[in-house]
């Protein structure tokens, strides 16, 4: 049975999704407010404010109104990278990029327009004015492929990535420290085997599952070439409505690891991203 405290608690900003820098900031502001109130008005009122503020921070994540709205914009103006525990630490020579890559690699504007036109002509994507959405038949087929991939172990998923790539590729499984909650992050690296970082694409497991599923669905339902299928997979992620690994809702948010956001490593200008509202997996980065 759900307790009264559980009903008050906001899971978006507490537990594993708690933003500790914002929590500390709220606690400091609460302390200052209590001290000021005790000196100017009443210690009783200050104590009441302290108890209420601590309860709000514990159960809701913050007590300063609208903290989740202004905190990400505020933190990007601060010097350094105070919102990440690994700020200023030396990284290994080979490390994951700021944003996950795609099986089809980076595409320029001309290629992106050609990919979209191909998807529209084949009925994979439907346009309603300026809004794009997936055709229902393709969405169902893509979901079916994704569900079949979820249970694969890492090696099996890496093999599926290699099979879905447009050319002969090398796939690696790379594990690095520095995840959002301090855990190791596992990446699937697709490359030409040259060792050149510019020729590598680093994919997270959710993105790998989504893109392999998209490539397979496109192979079954269209006559697109292998190269075009791989290029299309990254674009199709922009139209995801549910997470490929947990079926949670996909929401537009920011990459800043603040107030329950999906996390990130850049402090200069946080990107807008699509991320799972349940597990926090980042699924698409808007450029």
């Amino acid at each position: 049975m759900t307790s009264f405290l559980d009903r008050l608690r906001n899971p978006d900003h507490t537990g594993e999704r708690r933003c500790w820098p914002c929590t500390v900031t709220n606690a400091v502001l609460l302390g200052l407010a209590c001290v000021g109130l005790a000196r100017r008005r009443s210690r009783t009122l200050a104590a009441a404010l302290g108890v209420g503020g601590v309860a709000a921070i514990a159960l809701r994540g913050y007590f300063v109104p609208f903290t989740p709205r202004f905190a990400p914009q505020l933190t990007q103006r601060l010097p350094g990278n105070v919102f990440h525990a690994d700020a200023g630490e030396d990284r290994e020579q080979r490390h994951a990029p700021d944003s996950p890559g795609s099986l089809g690699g980076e595409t320029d504007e001309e290629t992106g327009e050609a990919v979209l036109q191909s998807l529209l002509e084949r009925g994979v994507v439907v346009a309603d004015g300026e809004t794009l959405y997936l055709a229902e038949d393709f969405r169902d087929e893509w979901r079916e492929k994704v569900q079949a991939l979820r249970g694969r172990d890492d090696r099996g998923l890496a093999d599926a990535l290699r099979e879905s790539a447009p050319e002969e590729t090398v796939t690696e499984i790379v594990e690095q420290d520095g995840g959002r909650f301090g855990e190791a992050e596992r990446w699937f690296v697709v490359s030409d085997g040259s060792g050149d970082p510019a020729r590598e694409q680093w994919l997270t497991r959710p993105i790998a599952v989504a893109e392999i599923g998209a490539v397979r669905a496109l192979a079954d339902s269209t006559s697109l070439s292998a190269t075009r299928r791989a290029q299309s997979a990254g674009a199709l992620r922009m139209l995801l409505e549910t997470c490929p690994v947990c079926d949670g809702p996909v929401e537009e948010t920011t990459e800043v690891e603040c107030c329950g956001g999906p996390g990130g490593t850049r402090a200069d200008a946080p990107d807008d991203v699509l991320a799972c509202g349940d597990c926090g997996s980042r699924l698409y980065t808007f450029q």
Side-chain angles (χ1 to χ4, degrees), residues 7-14 18 55-62:
R7 289 196 294 271
L8 288 179
R9 185 173 288 107
N10 184 351
D12 289 338
H13 307 300
T14 58
R18 178 180 294 279
I57 294 173
L59 296 173
R60 309 298 295 174
Y62 57 92

Side-chain angles (χ1 to χ4, degrees), residues 130-195:
E130 295 184 355
T131 303
L132 300 175
Y133 58 92
L134 292 176
E136 286 300 320
D137 289 346
F138 181 79
R139 186 184 298 279
D140 292 342
E141 188 167 3
W142 188 7
R143 181 187 296 274
E144 181 180 335
K145 303 295 185 186
V146 162
Q147 290 175 341
L149 290 163
R150 287 176 181 170
R152 288 205 175 196
D153 60 18
D154 291 340
R155 189 66 263 167
L157 198 60
D159 291 341
L161 267 176
R162 186 171 58 252
E163 294 168 1
S164 301
E167 298 175 355
E168 189 74 20
T169 60
V170 174
T171 57
E172 302 173 77
I173 301 170
V174 178
E175 190 169 291
Q176 293 191 334
D177 295 332
R180 183 185 166 205
F181 304 120
E183 78 281 14
E185 290 182 321
R186 185 168 289 113
W187 295 83
F188 296 85
V189 182
V190 180
S191 71
D192 61 0
S194 67

Side-chain angles (χ1 to χ4, degrees), residues 25-110:
T25 300
N26 272 250
V28 170
L29 292 175
L30 175 62
L32 292 174
C34 289
V35 170
L37 189 60
R39 289 181 175 179
R40 295 176 178 237
R41 297 290 183 101
S42 164
R43 292 185 178 182
T44 301
L45 288 177
L49 175 62
V51 171
V54 169
I57 294 173
L59 296 173
R60 309 298 295 174
Y62 57 92
F63 92 101
V64 177
F66 309 113
T67 293
R69 296 187 184 181
F70 68 75
Q73 288 74 27
L74 175 64
T75 57
Q76 67 175 297
R77 295 180 173 86
L78 297 177
N81 198 357
V82 298
F83 270 67
H84 300 91
D86 60 351
E89 294 181 0
D90 292 334
R91 296 291 192 94
E92 296 179 5
Q93 185 175 3
R94 189 183 188 210
H95 59 82
D98 290 336
S99 298
S102 174
L103 182 60
E106 297 182 3
T107 57
D108 54 27
E109 184 176 354
E110 182 177 352

Side-chain angles (χ1 to χ4, degrees), residues 99-100 237 255 271-274 282-287:
S99 298
R237 275 192 285 115
E255 73 169 352
D271 290 325
D272 290 329
V273 301
L274 291 179
R282 181 168 28 156
L283 300 168
Y284 188 85
T285 303
F286 294 99
Q287 301 298 330

